[in-house]
């Protein structure tokens, strides 16, 4: 596409918002790109989940990637239902989250790092300096770590099962990925002296 | 050894003080290089230290540190926006009078307008 072609707005709510703010009038008469195959206006569509599917995808095998994520969500539902029915009191039952998409969002949110270490060379020595990161990069790292943790599995365990376990753990703020994020934060805190130096 | 000494003598003995020879013209260029301009992004250190203090006290559990985290993120996003705006202004060539720190592009614009010599 030529660079002046704009991306389409495929969500009804976003279109309504643009109509309210008046931006829609500007976009209506502009040449638009075609929507991607996984972009629909259905309320069941989730952009974050689509992104996650893309990160899992290898060699363009979209069907496999989508299948893995859907199976992972099914596994999450099964595990959560098991916990729910084994619970004795109503209180505990209400605390258990049954919607796998909510668990996925919570897991990604809990694994997002806030700082990162970058190597900066001063006087021939490479220091690891803590540096802030943008929200998008943070989200990407969170999802990448979740996938990497699911891949580090026993060869007899299926990837979608391991992914389900990782997501549930991360949503409850425990598990490998959250530990990895916290270790990174600890290292940043240990190296905070390098950030205090006025690098110029 | 006598041969080498004779060869050196043919060039002429160096006399102190050495006479000055203006090989290149004694003029500065009408441009400034951009090498000294680059400063690494030193920003949000105060917010970072506040965040670290909160983390230390809560054993790196993020839940009670939501305010500090948001402040840190906001600071960084604002910094990025200001850097972007500064770049846009430089690209347009807008100069505000009374500015203390000029980038090399802005100085070049001034030097072009007011050259030192014809």
């Amino acid at each position: 596409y030529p660079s002046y072609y704009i991306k389409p707005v495929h969500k009804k709510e976003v279109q309504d918002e643009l109509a309210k703010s008046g931006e829609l009038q500007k976009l209506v008469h502009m040449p638009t790109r075609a929507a991607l195959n996984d972009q629909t206006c259905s309320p069941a569509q989730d952009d974050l989940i689509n992104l996650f599917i893309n990160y899992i995808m290898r060699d363009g095998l979209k069907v496999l990637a989508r299948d893995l994520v859907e199976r992972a969500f099914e596994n999450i539902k099964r595990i959560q239902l098991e916990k729910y029915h084994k619970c004795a009191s109503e209180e505990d039952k209400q605390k258990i989250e049954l919607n796998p998409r909510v668990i996925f969002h919570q897991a990604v949110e809990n694994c997002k790092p806030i700082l990162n270490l970058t190597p900066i060379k001063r006087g021939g020595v490479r220091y690891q300096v803590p540096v802030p990161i943008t929200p998008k990069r943070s989200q990407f790292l969170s999802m990448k770590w979740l996938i990497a943790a699911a891949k580090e599995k026993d060869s007899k365990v299926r990837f979608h099962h391991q992914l389900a376990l990782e997501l549930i753990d991360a949503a409850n703020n425990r598990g490998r990925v959250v530990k990895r994020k916290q270790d990174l934060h600890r290292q940043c805190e240990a190296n905070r002296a390098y950030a205090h130096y006025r690098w110029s | 050894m006598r041969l080498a000494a004779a060869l050196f003598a043919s060039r002429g003995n160096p006399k102190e003080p050495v006479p000055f020879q203006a090989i290149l013209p004694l003029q500065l260029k009408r441009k400034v290089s951009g090498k000294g301009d680059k400063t690494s992004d030193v920003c949000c250190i105060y917010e970072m230290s506040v965040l670290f203090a909160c983390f230390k006290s809560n054993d790196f559990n993020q839940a009670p540190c939501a305010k500090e985290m948001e402040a840190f993120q906001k600071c960084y996003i604002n910094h990025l926006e200001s850097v972007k705006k500064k770049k846009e202004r430089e690209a347009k060539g807008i100069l505000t009078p009374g500015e203390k720190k000029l980038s090399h592009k802005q100085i070049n614009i001034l030097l072009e307008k007011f050259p030192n010599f014809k």
Side-chain angles (χ1 to χ4, degrees):
Chain A
Y1 285 110
S3 56
Y4 53 83
Y5 271 61
I6 56 166
K7 287 187 183 168
V9 178
H10 59 279
K11 290 265 178 188
K12 198 86 175 81
E13 304 95 44
V14 185
Q15 280 181 6
D16 290 335
E17 268 180 50
L18 287 175
K20 268 191 210 170
S21 68
E23 290 258 335
L24 199 68
Q25 283 301 310
K26 290 184 211 169
L27 300 174
V28 154
H29 299 290
M30 292 194 72
T32 324
R33 302 174 187 221
L36 300 175
N37 273 335
D38 55 359
Q39 288 176 339
T40 62
C41 59
S42 155
Q45 280 281 300
D46 199 338
D47 283 339
L48 195 67
I49 293 177
N50 283 343
L51 201 58
F52 192 64
I53 291 171
N54 280 342
Y55 289 155
I56 285 179
M57 176 168 68
R58 296 261 124 179
D59 301 329
L61 297 171
K62 183 61 157 262
V63 176
L64 177 60
R66 198 175 61 221
D67 189 43
L68 285 171
V69 172
E70 283 182 4
R71 283 194 193 191
F73 284 174
E74 194 192 318
N75 288 342
I76 292 175
K77 187 86 186 190
R78 280 177 192 274
I79 294 166
Q80 293 297 88
L81 273 173
E82 199 183 324
K83 278 189 212 165
Y84 182 84
H85 289 301
K86 279 185 179 172
C87 263
S89 63
E90 278 295 316
E91 250 185 65
D92 291 340
K93 284 196 176 186
Q94 285 206 351
K95 279 186 196 170
I96 293 177
E97 181 55 57
L98 290 172
N99 190 350
R101 283 157 205 227
V102 170
I103 286 185
F104 169 73
H105 282 272
Q106 192 63 41
V108 169
E109 192 61 44
N110 283 347
C111 296
K112 279 188 192 172
I114 256 213
L115 309 154
N116 208 2
L117 293 169
T118 46
I120 293 183
K121 198 171 173 184
R122 298 285 161 192
V125 185
R126 279 189 189 278
Y127 298 107
Q128 293 287 335
V129 176
V131 128
I133 44 177
T134 54
K136 276 198 172 178
R137 172 111 187 120
S138 163
Q139 184 194 79
F140 165 72
L141 281 174
S142 160
M143 290 203 266
K144 179 178 156 181
W145 289 345
L146 280 165
I147 295 167
K151 278 187 177 173
E152 276 177 36
K153 61 175 180 61
D154 192 32
S155 58
K156 290 190 183 168
V157 176
R158 300 268 92 176
F159 172 81
H160 50 82
H161 189 74
Q162 187 67 27
L163 181 60
L165 295 174
E166 295 291 343
L167 285 173
I168 292 172
D169 275 343
N172 292 328
N173 224 344
R174 55 165 198 262
R176 287 193 279 175
V177 195
V178 172
K179 183 175 179 296
R180 181 171 176 174
K181 177 201 74 168
Q182 285 180 351
D183 284 346
L184 177 63
H185 285 174
R186 265 177 238 269
Q187 271 197 315
C188 287
E189 205 271 329
N191 284 11
R192 70 183 186 277
Y194 300 138
H196 273 273
Y197 269 120
R198 293 268 142 189
W199 298 115
S200 57
Chain B
M1 211 157 86
R2 292 258 3 131
L3 185 62
L7 279 173
F8 283 133
S10 71
R11 281 176 114 213
N13 292 321
K15 317 170 263 205
E16 289 275 317
V18 178
F20 176 68
Q21 294 169 313
I23 302 165
L24 289 168
L26 298 177
Q27 290 168 357
L28 292 173
K29 280 194 241 177
R30 283 184 193 175
K31 275 193 272 182
V32 179
S33 88
K35 280 191 272 183
D37 241 4
K38 193 177 178 189
T39 52
S40 60
D41 304 295
V42 180
C43 65
C44 311
I45 285 189
Y46 174 68
E47 274 86 0
M48 199 196 282
S49 53
V50 165
L51 183 69
F52 280 146
C54 179
F55 273 172
K56 255 272 161 89
S57 59
N58 290 315
D59 192 33
F60 291 91
N61 183 18
Q62 276 186 248
C65 297
K67 244 196 267 175
E68 282 87 354
M69 277 175 27
E70 234 206 89
F72 183 59
Q73 289 252 300
K74 257 192 198 172
C75 166
Y76 184 53
I77 290 167
N78 285 341
H79 170 79
L80 287 176
E81 270 182 43
S82 66
V83 161
K84 196 174 159 188
K85 277 184 192 162
K86 192 178 163 203
K87 255 197 173 177
E88 281 175 20
R89 269 201 321 194
E90 278 179 33
K92 283 189 189 171
I94 303 165
L95 293 160
T96 53
E99 227 178 285
K100 284 184 212 168
K101 282 190 184 179
L102 295 165
S103 73
H104 74 283
K105 286 186 192 169
Q106 290 167 323
I107 295 176
N108 284 341
I109 291 165
L110 281 173
L111 286 174
E112 241 188 274
K113 280 189 184 168
F114 310 108
N116 219 359
F117 49 86
K118 280 258 172 167

